Amino acid sequence: MGVVDGFNHHLFLYRAARSATAGVPGRFQAAVEMLVDWVEDQAKSIVNNAESRRFVAPLALTVFLWIILMNVLDLLPVDFLGWVFIQTGLGAEHGDPLYYHRILPTADLNVPMGMSLGVLLLTLYYGIKIKKPGGFVKELFTAPFSFGGIAGILLSPFNFLLNIIEYGAKTVSLGMRLFGNMFAGELVFMLIALLGGAWTGFNGASIGLGIGHVLAGSVWAIFHILIVLLQAFIFMMLTLVYVGQAHESH
């Protein structure tokens, strides 16, 4: 699903680029231009290197749209894709519709942690590129506690350990934040779906659970739209912040 979402996101931007005109833009072109300008402004306010922004700003836009497209899969009915796969025979190798109920890529720890590891590699790359290998290694041992003489030598192992912990904590928290929120949201959708699955006929309990299923599902879906956008925004902004920090010296 993540690969499909990535293709759709690139198709979305490709379509906007192909249909762009020099005159008065249409609504689609205007919306895309506003989104691109907004991400560019965010990058300018955080990453102070213009050359780096030529890569980082489009990357931030890609991350933002990709996460949104992956997250909105959570708004599909819980058993819809399972039903489609079983009906078309595509799910015959598993034979269990429940296998397809958890389709959200960002609720699979491999996806958000893989993306956060990519951000870690990017921060290391820019840290070495901007500060040079010698300066980057020196900063690992001399920051955040910088002293001269014997005190600096004694503190260098602690500085190195703190910096390694900082890199690890940033990476884990970045991926786990996205995973935790989307996993919980998907779980709530599945629990709400159980209300509809309790239908046993036209009786008071079943009708009450059915109405509760529709109301709870609708309210949670509307609220979940905010979560979808917010998690994409947070991941994008933290990506920019971490890359921006890689350009700065302690």
Side-chain angles (χ1 to χ4, degrees), residues 37-249:
D37 289 341
W38 172 69
V39 174
E40 180 68 27
D41 290 339
Q42 300 300 320
K44 285 181 179 178
S45 65
I46 297 173
V47 181
N48 56 18
N49 187 297
E51 181 181 352
S52 298
R53 285 200 305 271
R54 294 178 61 186
F55 174 78
V56 175
L59 174 68
L61 177 62
T62 297
V63 167
F64 182 69
L65 292 178
W66 195 11
I67 293 178
I68 286 179
L69 289 173
M70 287 192 290
N71 287 352
V72 295
L73 289 174
D74 213 8
L75 300 177
L76 291 176
V78 170
D79 54 355
F80 174 71
L81 284 184
W83 179 82
V84 170
F85 287 142
I86 295 300
Q87 293 298 316
T88 58
L90 296 175
E93 67 272 18
H94 295 288
D96 182 8
L98 291 175
Y99 179 85
Y100 298 99
H101 281 193
R102 296 195 61 246
I103 63 170
L104 191 61
T106 45
D108 180 346
L109 189 57
N110 294 293
V111 173
M113 286 306 299
M115 295 176 67
S116 63
L117 285 172
V119 175
L120 171 63
L121 294 176
L122 198 61
T123 58
L124 294 176
Y125 166 76
Y126 278 110
I128 296 172
K129 178 181 179 181
I130 298 299
K131 302 166 187 174
K132 308 302 180 186
F136 178 78
V137 173
K138 179 182 177 182
E139 190 174 85
L140 288 177
F141 289 94
T142 59
F145 303 111
S146 180
F147 297 96
I150 300 299
I153 295 175
L154 293 175
L155 284 173
S156 60
F158 297 99
N159 285 332
F160 178 76
L161 181 61
L162 286 174
N163 281 301
I164 295 301
I165 292 175
E166 180 183 2
Y167 279 116
K170 286 179 178 178
T171 302
V172 173
S173 63
L174 183 63
M176 289 298 293
R177 180 183 293 105
L178 177 60
F179 163 75
N181 281 279
M182 300 315 300
F183 180 86
E186 185 178 53
L187 183 61
V188 171
F189 273 119
M190 295 182 72
L191 292 174
I192 292 174
L194 290 176
L195 295 175
W199 181 273
T200 59
F202 289 96
N203 52 68
S206 293
I207 293 175
L209 290 173
I211 295 174
H213 163 71
V214 174
L215 292 178
S218 300
V219 171
W220 181 247
I222 294 171
F223 176 71
H224 201 66
I225 294 173
L226 175 62
I227 298 177
V228 165
L229 297 174
L230 183 61
Q231 290 304 313
F233 173 74
I234 291 174
F235 200 102
M236 180 196 75
M237 292 301 295
L238 287 177
T239 298
L240 291 174
V241 168
Y242 293 161
V243 172
Q245 289 177 344
H247 288 70
E248 301 171 355
S249 298

